[in-house]
Amino acid sequence: MRAPIGTFDDARPAPECLEQLTAPVADAVRNWRGGVPAEDLIFVDSDPAIADTAAFVEHFGPELLDMSANCVVVAGKRGGEVSLAACVVLSRHRLDVNGAVRRQLGSRKASFAPMETAVGETGMEYGGITPIGLPRDWPLFVDSAVVDLEWVLVGSGSRRGKLIVPGKTFASLPGAVVVEGLGG
């Protein structure tokens, strides 16, 4: 099939690629209850060596930078308690951790979660974390600019491959809160 964005050699509906997805992402796709059919989640295979955004868009085309988003795990601290959340922002934007994220978490301090925590708690690979398949009890803060895009390229749970997802889908994921100005 032809991917809705980009020029990928191998694009298939994610339900046909469960064996290439990490366990939490495969489970989320298998049990999909989102606002679009699961077949609208497209898996594109790619070399793990070019998983980082800059290398990926250099290889597959600079136009993808305007259609790519990153999923970042953050930790909020308040009164000795640590809470985790995920944030989805366009790749060309910086996540406002100390402003918008901290306020959304209601914490005194917010920071990027340590890599070991992000990987251990999500069951996904660092550099490939995706909002699809995150722990269901986590808040998921999604920048409104992501939801406004027709299609969004995001991690697939591993460094190999990406998912292409309708932007509106992010608003219907478990725990999702759309936030204006989350990234900038």
Side-chain angles (χ1 to χ4, degrees), residues 10-32 38-46 122-125 128-134 154-165:
D10 186 7
R12 293 176 287 152
E16 295 177 13
C17 307
L18 297 177
E19 71 286 347
Q20 291 180 274
L21 302 172
T22 58
V25 179
D27 287 345
V29 170
R30 189 178 298 108
N31 300 306
W32 185 250
E39 291 73 22
D40 285 358
L41 310 176
I42 307 299
F43 176 80
V44 292
D45 197 13
S46 62
T122 64
M124 300 179 203
E125 292 179 12
I129 294 175
T130 184
I132 297 170
L134 288 170
V154 70
S156 67
S158 74
R159 291 184 60 82
R160 178 176 198 123
K162 302 278 187 190
L163 294 174
I164 300 174
V165 180

Coordinates of all heavy atoms in Angstrom, one line a residue, residues 10-32 38-46 122-125 128-134 154-165:
D10 N 7.9 0.2 2.4 CA 7.1 -0.8 3.1 C 6.1 -0.1 4.1 O 6.5 0.3 5.2 CB 8.0 -1.7 3.9 CG 7.3 -2.9 4.5 OD1 6.1 -3.1 4.3 OD2 8.0 -3.6 5.3
A11 N 4.8 0.0 3.6 CA 3.8 0.6 4.5 C 2.6 -0.4 4.5 O 2.1 -0.8 3.4 CB 3.4 1.9 3.9
R12 N 2.2 -0.7 5.7 CA 1.1 -1.6 5.9 C 0.2 -1.2 7.1 O 0.7 -0.6 8.0 CB 1.6 -3.1 6.1 CG 2.3 -3.6 4.9 CD 2.9 -5.0 5.1 NE 4.1 -4.8 6.0 CZ 4.6 -5.7 6.8 NH1 4.0 -6.8 7.0 NH2 5.6 -5.5 7.5
P13 N -1.1 -1.6 7.0 CA -1.9 -1.4 8.2 C -1.3 -2.0 9.5 O -0.8 -3.2 9.4 CB -3.2 -2.0 7.9 CG -3.3 -2.0 6.4 CD -1.8 -2.3 6.0
A14 N -1.2 -1.3 10.6 CA -0.6 -1.8 11.8 C -1.1 -3.2 12.2 O -0.3 -4.0 12.7 CB -0.7 -0.8 12.9
P15 N -2.4 -3.5 12.1 CA -2.9 -4.8 12.5 C -2.3 -6.0 11.7 O -2.3 -7.1 12.2 CB -4.4 -4.7 12.2 CG -4.7 -3.3 12.3 CD -3.5 -2.6 11.7
E16 N -1.7 -5.7 10.6 CA -1.0 -6.7 9.8 C 0.5 -6.9 10.2 O 1.2 -7.7 9.7 CB -1.0 -6.4 8.3 CG -2.4 -6.4 7.7 CD -2.5 -6.0 6.3 OE1 -1.4 -5.9 5.6 OE2 -3.6 -5.8 5.8
C17 N 1.0 -6.0 11.1 CA 2.4 -6.0 11.5 C 2.6 -6.2 13.0 O 3.6 -5.7 13.5 CB 3.0 -4.6 11.1 SG 2.7 -4.2 9.4
L18 N 1.7 -6.8 13.7 CA 1.8 -7.0 15.1 C 3.1 -7.5 15.6 O 3.6 -7.2 16.6 CB 0.6 -7.8 15.7 CG -0.8 -7.2 15.4 CD1 -1.8 -8.1 15.9 CD2 -0.9 -5.8 16.1
E19 N 3.7 -8.5 14.8 CA 4.9 -9.1 15.2 C 6.1 -8.1 15.1 O 7.1 -8.4 15.8 CB 5.2 -10.3 14.3 CG 5.6 -10.0 12.9 CD 4.4 -9.6 12.0 OE1 3.3 -9.7 12.4 OE2 4.7 -9.1 10.9
Q20 N 6.0 -7.0 14.5 CA 7.0 -6.0 14.4 C 6.9 -4.9 15.4 O 7.7 -4.1 15.5 CB 7.1 -5.4 13.0 CG 7.5 -6.4 11.9 CD 7.6 -5.8 10.6 OE1 6.6 -5.8 9.9 NE2 8.7 -5.3 10.2
L21 N 5.8 -5.0 16.2 CA 5.6 -4.0 17.2 C 6.0 -4.5 18.6 O 5.9 -5.7 18.8 CB 4.1 -3.6 17.2 CG 3.6 -3.0 15.9 CD1 2.0 -2.9 16.0 CD2 4.2 -1.7 15.6
T22 N 6.3 -3.6 19.5 CA 6.6 -4.1 20.9 C 5.3 -4.5 21.5 O 4.2 -4.2 21.0 CB 7.2 -2.9 21.7 OG1 6.2 -1.8 21.7 CG2 8.5 -2.5 21.2
A23 N 5.3 -5.3 22.5 CA 4.2 -6.0 23.1 C 3.1 -5.0 23.5 O 1.9 -5.2 23.2 CB 4.5 -6.8 24.3
P24 N 3.4 -3.8 24.2 CA 2.3 -2.9 24.6 C 1.6 -2.3 23.4 O 0.4 -2.0 23.4 CB 2.9 -1.9 25.5 CG 4.4 -2.1 25.4 CD 4.6 -3.4 24.8
V25 N 2.4 -2.0 22.3 CA 1.8 -1.4 21.1 C 1.0 -2.4 20.4 O -0.1 -2.1 19.9 CB 2.9 -0.8 20.2 CG1 2.4 -0.1 19.0 CG2 3.8 0.3 21.0
A26 N 1.5 -3.6 20.2 CA 0.8 -4.7 19.5 C -0.6 -4.9 20.3 O -1.6 -5.1 19.6 CB 1.6 -6.0 19.5
D27 N -0.5 -5.0 21.6 CA -1.8 -5.2 22.4 C -2.7 -4.0 22.1 O -4.0 -4.3 22.0 CB -1.4 -5.3 23.9 CG -0.8 -6.6 24.3 OD1 -0.8 -7.5 23.4 OD2 -0.2 -6.6 25.4
A28 N -2.3 -2.8 22.1 CA -3.1 -1.6 21.9 C -3.8 -1.7 20.5 O -5.0 -1.4 20.3 CB -2.4 -0.3 22.1
V29 N -3.0 -2.1 19.5 CA -3.5 -2.2 18.1 C -4.5 -3.4 18.0 O -5.6 -3.3 17.5 CB -2.4 -2.4 17.1 CG1 -2.9 -2.7 15.7 CG2 -1.5 -1.1 17.0
R30 N -4.2 -4.5 18.6 CA -5.0 -5.7 18.6 C -6.4 -5.4 19.3 O -7.4 -5.9 18.8 CB -4.3 -6.8 19.4 CG -5.0 -8.2 19.2 CD -4.2 -9.3 20.0 NE -2.9 -9.5 19.4 CZ -1.7 -9.1 20.0 NH1 -1.7 -8.6 21.2 NH2 -0.6 -9.4 19.4
N31 N -6.4 -4.6 20.4 CA -7.6 -4.3 21.1 C -8.1 -2.9 20.8 O -8.7 -2.2 21.7 CB -7.3 -4.5 22.6 CG -6.9 -5.9 22.9 OD1 -7.7 -6.8 22.6 ND2 -5.8 -6.1 23.5
W32 N -7.8 -2.4 19.7 CA -8.1 -1.0 19.3 C -9.5 -0.6 19.5 O -10.4 -1.3 19.1 CB -7.6 -0.7 17.9 CG -7.7 0.7 17.5 CD1 -8.7 1.2 16.6 CD2 -6.9 1.8 17.9 NE1 -8.4 2.6 16.5 CE2 -7.4 3.0 17.3 CE3 -5.8 1.9 18.8 CZ2 -6.8 4.2 17.5 CZ3 -5.3 3.1 19.0 CH2 -5.7 4.3 18.3
A38 N -8.7 0.6 13.2 CA -7.3 0.2 13.4 C -6.5 0.1 12.1 O -5.3 0.4 12.1 CB -7.2 -1.2 14.1
E39 N -7.1 -0.1 11.0 CA -6.5 -0.2 9.7 C -6.0 1.2 9.3 O -5.1 1.2 8.4 CB -7.4 -0.8 8.7 CG -7.7 -2.3 8.9 CD -8.7 -2.5 10.0 OE1 -9.4 -1.6 10.5 OE2 -8.6 -3.7 10.5
D40 N -6.4 2.2 9.9 CA -5.9 3.6 9.6 C -4.6 3.9 10.3 O -4.0 4.9 10.0 CB -7.0 4.6 10.0 CG -8.1 4.7 9.0 OD1 -8.1 3.9 8.0 OD2 -9.1 5.5 9.2
L41 N -4.2 3.0 11.2 CA -2.9 3.1 11.8 C -1.9 2.4 10.9 O -2.0 1.2 10.7 CB -2.8 2.5 13.2 CG -4.0 2.9 14.2 CD1 -3.8 2.1 15.4 CD2 -4.0 4.4 14.4
I42 N -1.0 3.1 10.3 CA -0.1 2.6 9.3 C 1.3 2.4 9.8 O 1.9 3.3 10.4 CB 0.0 3.5 8.0 CG1 -1.4 3.9 7.5 CG2 0.8 2.9 6.9 CD1 -2.3 2.7 7.0
F43 N 1.8 1.2 9.7 CA 3.2 0.9 10.1 C 4.1 1.0 8.9 O 3.8 0.5 7.8 CB 3.3 -0.5 10.7 CG 4.7 -0.9 11.0 CD1 5.3 -0.5 12.2 CD2 5.5 -1.7 10.1 CE1 6.6 -0.8 12.5 CE2 6.8 -2.0 10.4 CZ 7.4 -1.6 11.6
V44 N 5.2 1.8 9.0 CA 6.2 1.9 7.9 C 7.5 1.4 8.5 O 8.0 1.8 9.6 CB 6.4 3.3 7.4 CG1 5.1 3.7 6.6 CG2 6.7 4.3 8.5
D45 N 8.1 0.4 7.8 CA 9.3 -0.2 8.3 C 10.5 0.7 7.9 O 10.5 1.4 6.9 CB 9.5 -1.6 7.6 CG 10.5 -2.4 8.3 OD1 10.9 -2.1 9.5 OD2 10.9 -3.4 7.8
S46 N 11.5 0.8 8.8 CA 12.6 1.6 8.6 C 13.8 1.1 9.4 O 13.7 0.3 10.3 CB 12.4 3.1 8.9 OG 12.1 3.2 10.3
T122 N 7.2 1.9 30.1 CA 6.4 1.8 28.8 C 6.5 0.5 28.2 O 5.6 0.1 27.4 CB 6.8 2.9 27.8 OG1 8.1 2.7 27.4 CG2 6.6 4.3 28.4
G123 N 7.6 -0.2 28.4 CA 7.9 -1.5 27.6 C 8.3 -1.2 26.2 O 8.2 -2.1 25.4
M124 N 8.7 0.0 25.9 CA 9.1 0.4 24.6 C 10.6 0.8 24.6 O 11.2 1.0 25.6 CB 8.2 1.6 24.1 CG 6.7 1.3 24.1 SD 5.8 2.8 23.5 CE 4.2 2.4 24.3
E125 N 11.1 0.9 23.4 CA 12.5 1.3 23.2 C 12.7 2.8 23.2 O 11.8 3.6 22.7 CB 13.1 0.8 21.9 CG 13.2 -0.7 21.8 CD 13.7 -1.2 20.5 OE1 14.2 -0.4 19.7 OE2 13.6 -2.4 20.3
G128 N 11.8 5.4 20.4 CA 10.7 4.9 19.6 C 9.4 4.9 20.4 O 8.4 4.4 19.9
I129 N 9.4 5.6 21.5 CA 8.2 5.6 22.4 C 7.0 6.3 21.6 O 7.2 7.3 21.0 CB 8.5 6.3 23.7 CG1 9.5 5.4 24.5 CG2 7.2 6.5 24.5 CD1 10.0 6.0 25.8
T130 N 5.9 5.6 21.7 CA 4.7 6.1 21.0 C 3.5 6.2 22.0 O 3.5 5.5 23.1 CB 4.3 5.1 19.9 OG1 3.2 5.7 19.2 CG2 3.9 3.8 20.4
P131 N 2.6 7.1 21.8 CA 1.4 7.2 22.7 C 0.5 6.0 22.6 O -0.4 5.9 23.5 CB 0.8 8.5 22.3 CG 1.2 8.7 20.9 CD 2.5 8.1 20.7
I132 N 0.6 5.2 21.6 CA -0.3 4.1 21.4 C 0.3 2.9 22.1 O 1.4 2.4 21.8 CB -0.5 3.8 19.9 CG1 -1.2 5.0 19.2 CG2 -1.2 2.5 19.7 CD1 -1.2 4.9 17.7
G133 N -0.4 2.5 23.2 CA 0.1 1.4 24.0 C 0.8 1.8 25.4 O 1.3 1.0 26.1
L134 N 0.6 3.1 25.7 CA 1.1 3.6 27.0 C 0.3 3.0 28.1 O -0.8 2.6 27.9 CB 1.1 5.1 27.1 CG 2.1 5.9 26.2 CD1 1.8 7.3 26.2 CD2 3.5 5.6 26.7
V154 N 4.8 9.1 13.9 CA 5.2 9.0 15.3 C 5.9 7.7 15.5 O 5.8 6.8 14.7 CB 4.0 9.2 16.3 CG1 3.0 8.0 16.1 CG2 4.4 9.5 17.7
G155 N 6.6 7.5 16.6 CA 7.3 6.2 16.9 C 6.3 5.0 16.9 O 5.1 5.2 17.0
S156 N 6.9 3.9 16.8 CA 6.1 2.6 16.8 C 6.3 1.8 18.0 O 5.8 0.7 18.1 CB 6.5 1.8 15.5 OG 7.8 1.3 15.7
G157 N 7.1 2.3 19.0 CA 7.4 1.5 20.2 C 8.8 0.9 20.2 O 9.3 0.5 21.2
S158 N 9.4 0.9 19.0 CA 10.8 0.5 18.8 C 11.5 1.4 17.9 O 10.8 2.3 17.2 CB 10.9 -1.0 18.3 OG 10.5 -1.0 16.9
R159 N 12.7 1.3 17.8 CA 13.5 2.2 16.9 C 13.3 1.8 15.4 O 13.6 2.5 14.5 CB 15.0 2.3 17.3 CG 15.1 3.0 18.6 CD 16.6 3.2 19.0 NE 17.4 3.9 18.0 CZ 17.4 5.2 18.0 NH1 16.7 6.0 18.8 NH2 18.2 5.8 17.1
R160 N 12.9 0.6 15.2 CA 12.6 0.1 13.9 C 11.2 0.4 13.5 O 10.2 -0.1 14.2 CB 12.8 -1.4 13.8 CG 12.5 -1.9 12.4 CD 12.8 -3.3 12.2 NE 12.9 -3.5 10.7 CZ 13.9 -4.0 10.1 NH1 15.0 -4.4 10.7 NH2 13.9 -4.1 8.7
G161 N 11.0 1.2 12.5 CA 9.6 1.5 12.1 C 9.0 2.7 12.8 O 9.4 3.1 13.8
K162 N 8.0 3.2 12.1 CA 7.2 4.3 12.6 C 5.7 4.0 12.3 O 5.4 3.2 11.6 CB 7.5 5.6 11.9 CG 9.0 6.1 12.0 CD 9.3 6.8 13.2 CE 10.7 7.3 13.2 NZ 11.1 7.8 14.5
L163 N 4.9 4.8 13.0 CA 3.4 4.7 12.7 C 3.0 6.0 12.1 O 3.5 7.1 12.5 CB 2.6 4.5 14.0 CG 2.8 3.2 14.7 CD1 2.1 3.2 16.1 CD2 2.4 2.0 13.9
I164 N 2.1 5.9 11.1 CA 1.5 7.1 10.6 C 0.0 7.0 11.0 O -0.7 6.0 10.8 CB 1.6 7.1 9.0 CG1 3.0 7.2 8.6 CG2 0.8 8.3 8.5 CD1 3.3 7.0 7.1
V165 N -0.4 8.1 11.7 CA -1.7 8.0 12.4 C -2.5 9.3 12.1 O -1.9 10.4 12.1 CB -1.5 8.0 13.9 CG1 -2.7 8.0 14.7 CG2 -0.6 6.8 14.3

